[in-house]
């Protein structure tokens, strides 16, 4: 158990819908990262938040957005869903996220299926 | 831009045989390199990381990796495979400073251990 929790575990929805994925980092971790894992794209970095502020951006679509709240939990919002958005979404956290050397602790993931 | 190439998306070894998983990286700055393991239906877990100290890095579960700058490689090895090593392994390169960290993962190598 990494100490990172993600809800829900599974999510099935229809094209065009909007969903919210939730992540609680390990106690004391200030950085939260979101990743998308799919068979064709592998593990793709989406976005990083550090202490409530966006710090790094990866291959995140404009239909996707995220935020980190004062209690440090984070939410990833996916809108206008398409079939291709079906994937496993991971949240990870680290103590700071600075310098590039931090170990990231991964949650169990949310499996999103878009029908 | 940083990138990682993992040679061989599937590797099969016999129980007790040497495990060698290959990773080559590209980075414009001295890299921070990681190996993560993902067991079925779980998130990623750190095996080991290189942060410019010793070039031979020892990790958990008997794994180690050697950083070779001249070959831009960071191959993962284990002298004797165990059935419990069957999993997917990801090599990653990281860059960052301050509260910023961006990790690029390789496509992953699925390790099968044959009894």
């Amino acid at each position: 158990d990494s100490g990172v929790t993600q809800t829900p575990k599974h999510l099935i929805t229809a094209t065009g819908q909007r969903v919210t994925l939730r992540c609680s980092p390990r106690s004391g971790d200030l950085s939260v990262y979101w990743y998308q894992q799919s068979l064709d794209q592998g593990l793709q970095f989406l976005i990083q938040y550090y202490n409530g502020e966006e710090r790094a951006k990866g291959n995140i679509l404009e239909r996707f957005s995220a935020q980190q709240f004062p209690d440090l939990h984070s939410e990833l919002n996916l809108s206008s869903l398409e079939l291709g958005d079906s994937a496993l979404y991971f949240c990870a956290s680290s103590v700071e996220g600075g310098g590039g050397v931090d170990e990231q602790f991964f949650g169990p993931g949310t499996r999103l299926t878009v029908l | 831009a940083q990138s990682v190439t993992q040679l061989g998306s599937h590797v099969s070894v016999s129980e007790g045989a040497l495990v060698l998983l290959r990773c080559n990286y590209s980075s414009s700055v001295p890299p921070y390199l990681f190996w993560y393991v993902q067991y079925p239906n779980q998130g990623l877990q750190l095996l080991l990381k290189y942060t410019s100290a010793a070039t031979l890095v020892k990790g958990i579960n008997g794994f180690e990796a050697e950083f070779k700058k001249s070959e831009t490689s960071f191959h993962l090895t284990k002298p004797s495979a165990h059935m419990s090593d069957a999993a997917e392994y990801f090599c990653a390169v990281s860059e960052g400073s301050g509260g910023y960290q961006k990790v690029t993962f390789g496509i992953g190598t699925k390790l099968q251990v044959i009894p």
Side-chain angles (χ1 to χ4, degrees):
Chain A
D1 183 355
S2 67
V4 178
T5 59
Q6 289 186 248
T7 55
K9 199 168 183 176
H10 300 277
L11 199 47
I12 301 174
T13 188
T15 54
Q17 295 299 304
R18 172 190 168 94
V19 297
T20 298
L21 312 184
R22 183 187 167 101
C23 168
S24 293
R26 290 188 324 155
S27 176
D29 284 0
L30 297 177
S31 271
V32 169
Y33 311 79
W34 285 98
Y35 293 89
Q36 179 193 59
Q37 187 179 36
S38 60
L39 284 175
D40 53 345
Q41 299 277 353
L43 193 61
Q44 298 282 316
F45 167 70
L46 296 178
I47 198 163
Q48 178 208 359
Y49 276 81
Y50 172 71
N51 205 21
E53 294 184 4
E54 180 186 309
R55 283 301 179 99
K57 220 165 182 175
N59 301 322
I60 188 166
L61 299 172
E62 291 214 2
R63 301 183 285 110
F64 296 1
S65 64
Q67 54 185 327
Q68 187 179 28
F69 294 87
D71 66 352
L72 301 178
H73 91 271
S74 177
E75 292 181 356
L76 179 67
N77 299 295
L78 315 177
S79 61
S80 302
L81 285 168
E82 302 175 359
L83 295 177
D85 297 329
S86 295
L88 199 50
Y89 290 84
F90 284 109
C91 166
S93 73
S94 70
V95 175
E96 290 190 5
V101 300
D102 276 9
E103 172 183 358
Q104 294 186 13
F105 295 85
F106 282 75
T110 292
R111 183 169 295 281
L112 173 67
T113 302
V114 182
L115 301 176
Chain B
Q2 55 187 18
S3 66
V4 168
T5 302
Q6 289 185 243
L7 297 175
S9 57
H10 290 80
V11 170
S12 292
V13 299
S14 298
E15 190 175 15
L18 171 73
V19 176
L20 171 61
L21 304 182
R22 298 177 187 276
C23 172
N24 289 88
Y25 70 90
S26 171
S27 177
S28 58
V29 296
Y32 300 118
L33 296 161
F34 302 76
W35 275 100
Y36 282 84
V37 61
Q38 184 179 26
Y39 297 101
N41 301 314
Q42 292 186 29
L44 279 70
Q45 177 186 359
L46 182 70
L47 273 180
L48 50 82
K49 68 178 180 182
Y50 167 76
T51 59
S52 76
T55 56
L56 183 62
V57 182
K58 294 189 184 298
I60 61 172
N61 302 338
F63 284 93
E64 63 182 36
E66 186 173 7
F67 172 72
K68 291 187 177 180
K69 185 177 178 180
S70 60
E71 299 177 8
T72 60
S73 68
F74 190 56
H75 302 331
L76 181 71
T77 60
K78 181 173 179 178
S80 176
H82 193 271
M83 295 299 295
S84 61
D85 295 327
E88 190 159 18
Y89 293 81
F90 293 89
C91 182
V93 60
S94 175
E95 62 173 311
S97 63
Y100 157 91
Q101 181 176 24
K102 183 176 177 183
V103 180
T104 301
F105 284 87
I107 198 70
T109 298
K110 282 190 179 166
L111 176 66
Q112 179 187 22
V113 182
I114 303 166

